[in-house]
Amino acid sequence: MPDPLTETDPAVSEAIAGERERQESTLEMIASENHASEAVLAAQGSVLTNKYAEGYPGARYYGGCEHVDEVERIAIDRASRLWGGDHVNVQPHSGTGANMGVYFAVLEPGDRILSLDLSHGGHLSHGHHVNFSGQLYEVESYEVDPDTGYVDYDALAAQAEAFDPDLIVSGSSAYPREFEWERIGEIATSVDAYHLADMAHITGLVAAGVHSSPVPHADFVTGSTHKTIRSGRGGVIICDEAPADDVDSAVFPGSQGGPLMHNIAGKAVGFGEALEPEFGAYARSTVENAKALADAFRDRGLSLVSGGTDKHLVLVDLRDSHVDLTGKEAEETLAETGIVVNKNTVPGETRSPFVTSGIRVGTPALTTRGFGVEETDRVAHLLVDALESPDDDAELERIAADVDDLCATYPVYRDGGS
Ligand code: DSN
């Protein structure tokens, strides 16, 4: 059957085909990206995009919701089995939307948030001044210890005592180490603050049990559903039964309208995949590969924030090894070879976020392609080779040829994808 998009809208169709080809022919090492399965893509590209379903299963503001009710119930049930917790909301359109749902449920404008600084691994939605969270609330940031690169929990406890926050956020988008969820929960309790643990990237690692779970130690847990978990794009909130109604009301009608039912279907399908035993092997391999990346980078003289990783990403601080190479230049050089990373600010950053002194490098998407430690080690060396010779076109071409070879050996969508 001819593809209807190709016939009716060649411009968009060609752009999608171009993106498919880009994903096949480059090594995706942006730590927050992954390759969803064909089944997840099919669910997201389904007729569920047509349906309005404001409300929650069994209590909607629109008729004809019997099938989307079933989809949302499946997603909730599978999420409960993956992460535990009394109550799950699968409607947030994004991780930021999930955090917004929690803030709106328990905070008033002007209340105080204590969260990890963006350049130390935090996230815009944890109270950065350019984000709604930094504009609505009074925010202080905690930082990593400049010597170790780890969160200094004693300093955090002292800061919490002095600042008296209403809510403490744990979790990160560029912190390579496990959070001590229990310790932060105790600190929050000691100052009578809520503890929001944003799993963000690591939802899949927590679901598989290869990263400790914040669920027993936090009042609210949020996360993204399209990173290490590889499900439909969006966010999720997990909490106890007591604040469940407030959280649900804060998501709809508080901050969102109609839920994206096609994305919720994608979440349901991806959560189902994550309940299969093979997913545990994937998550373990993702972390093993990140450790292999860290080992190779260290052997080649790169400085890593905190010296290594406990999870799926490493954060390279280029200032020690390549004093004149910015994160932006490193990202651009690597792109020439087909290795895709993002420039990233680092603790103690002096350059702008558009330039930066670091790169963040992750393994979730490579591991989905089937990479193990051996292939990851090979990529790590190619990456450092490129950073060593950013102006040597012949060397970059050699590296690009090796990248092509790896991409051809480990295709993403064997049957063409969508
Ligand atoms: N933009 C995502 C990341 O790359 O970490 C977080 O929302």
Side-chain angles (χ1 to χ4, degrees):
M1 202 170 105
D3 170 11
L5 188 58
T6 310
E7 294 203 337
T8 60
D9 198 332
V12 171
S13 175
E14 279 170 28
I16 292 173
E19 173 59 14
R20 179 167 58 234
E21 176 52 25
R22 188 193 70 79
Q23 292 187 18
E24 287 288 353
S25 62
T26 57
L27 296 178
E28 184 53 72
M29 300 189 81
I30 292 176
S32 51
E33 294 187 13
N34 213 326
H35 303 292
S37 71
E38 303 270 14
V40 169
L41 297 182
Q44 290 198 125
S46 70
V47 293
L48 270 62
T49 193
N50 298 336
K51 190 71 195 95
Y52 261 118
E54 277 98 327
Y56 290 95
R60 306 283 190 184
Y61 290 84
Y62 287 77
C65 287
E66 59 271 27
H67 301 295
V68 294
D69 274 3
E70 181 61 11
V71 165
E72 188 164 343
R73 285 194 181 105
I74 292 170
I76 291 168
D77 172 64
R78 291 178 181 171
S80 301
R81 287 157 62 197
L82 287 171
W83 294 295
D86 293 343
H87 180 75
V88 178
N89 187 309
V90 294
Q91 292 195 4
H93 302 335
S94 65
T96 291
N99 290 336
M100 180 184 274
V102 172
Y103 299 151
F104 284 6
V106 295
L107 298 181
E108 296 295 331
D111 279 355
R112 294 180 176 177
I113 294 176
L114 180 58
S115 60
L116 184 62
D117 182 82
L118 185 65
S119 283
H120 291 243
H123 188 255
L124 289 171
S125 66
H126 294 176
H128 194 273
H129 65 89
V130 300
N131 183 264
F132 82 92
S133 55
Q135 291 158 7
L136 279 185
Y137 307 109
E138 184 183 340
V139 181
E140 260 198 22
S141 300
Y142 57 94
E143 299 187 345
V144 299
D145 181 304
D147 295 327
T148 65
Y150 282 68
V151 170
D152 180 340
Y153 293 93
D154 290 336
L156 171 55
Q159 191 174 0
E161 187 71 30
F163 181 54
D164 191 21
D166 298 288
L167 182 144
I168 299 180
V169 184
S170 58
S172 63
S173 63
Y175 178 64
R177 296 300 181 177
E178 288 212 17
F179 269 86
E180 294 183 21
W181 309 116
E182 185 171 6
R183 183 84 201 276
I184 298 194
E186 288 166 359
I187 293 169
T189 301
S190 75
V191 295
D192 200 21
Y194 293 107
H195 176 201
L196 162 59
D198 183 357
M199 293 191 287
H201 293 203
I202 58 166
T203 42
L205 305 183
V206 171
V210 303
H211 189 294
S212 61
S213 172
V215 173
H217 309 295
D219 299 291
F220 304 96
V221 175
T222 53
S224 304
T225 52
H226 49 278
K227 296 173 180 165
T228 52
I229 192 80
R230 300 187 299 199
S231 83
R233 194 174 191 91
V236 63
I237 304 173
I238 299 155
C239 64
D240 291 337
E241 208 51 61
D245 286 347
D246 289 337
V247 163
D248 286 353
S249 299
V251 174
F252 171 81
S255 55
Q256 293 188 174
L260 308 179
M261 294 312 309
H262 55 305
N263 272 5
I264 291 174
K267 291 175 188 179
V269 173
F271 295 169
E273 292 171 354
L275 285 164
E276 296 298 321
E278 304 82 60
F279 187 77
Y282 163 74
R284 277 190 296 282
S285 181
T286 298
V287 175
E288 283 165 12
N289 288 344
K291 289 180 187 294
L293 203 60
D295 288 345
F297 284 171
R298 273 194 312 265
D299 288 349
R300 294 287 300 272
L302 296 189
S303 283
L304 307 181
V305 173
S306 83
T309 185
D310 298 329
K311 41 198 196 190
H312 63 297
L313 65 84
V314 298
L315 186 57
V316 180
D317 186 337
L318 293 163
R319 292 174 297 191
D320 289 339
S321 56
H322 299 76
V323 68
D324 294 325
L325 185 68
T326 67
K328 180 171 189 285
E329 289 161 345
E331 178 189 304
E332 289 167 357
T333 296
L334 292 169
E336 284 184 51
T337 71
I339 297 174
V340 184
V341 304
N342 67 278
K343 58 183 172 289
N344 215 95
T345 52
V346 291
E349 183 61 74
T350 49
R351 294 181 170 120
S352 95
F354 290 110
V355 180
T356 82
S357 303
I359 51 173
R360 190 184 62 167
V361 191
T363 53
L366 293 193
T367 309
T368 293
R369 283 186 100 123
F371 279 38
V373 163
E374 191 181 318
E375 295 81 4
T376 306
D377 180 70
R378 184 171 156 196
V379 175
H381 286 284
L382 292 173
L383 188 152
V384 183
D385 289 345
L387 297 184
E388 296 295 330
S389 310
D391 302 317
D392 182 341
D393 289 344
E395 174 68 345
L396 296 183
E397 275 176 32
R398 175 197 67 84
I399 296 164
D402 264 21
V403 168
D404 284 346
D405 180 49
L406 279 163
C407 291
T409 308
Y410 295 93
V412 182
Y413 297 110
R414 288 171 196 278
D415 302 321
S418 74

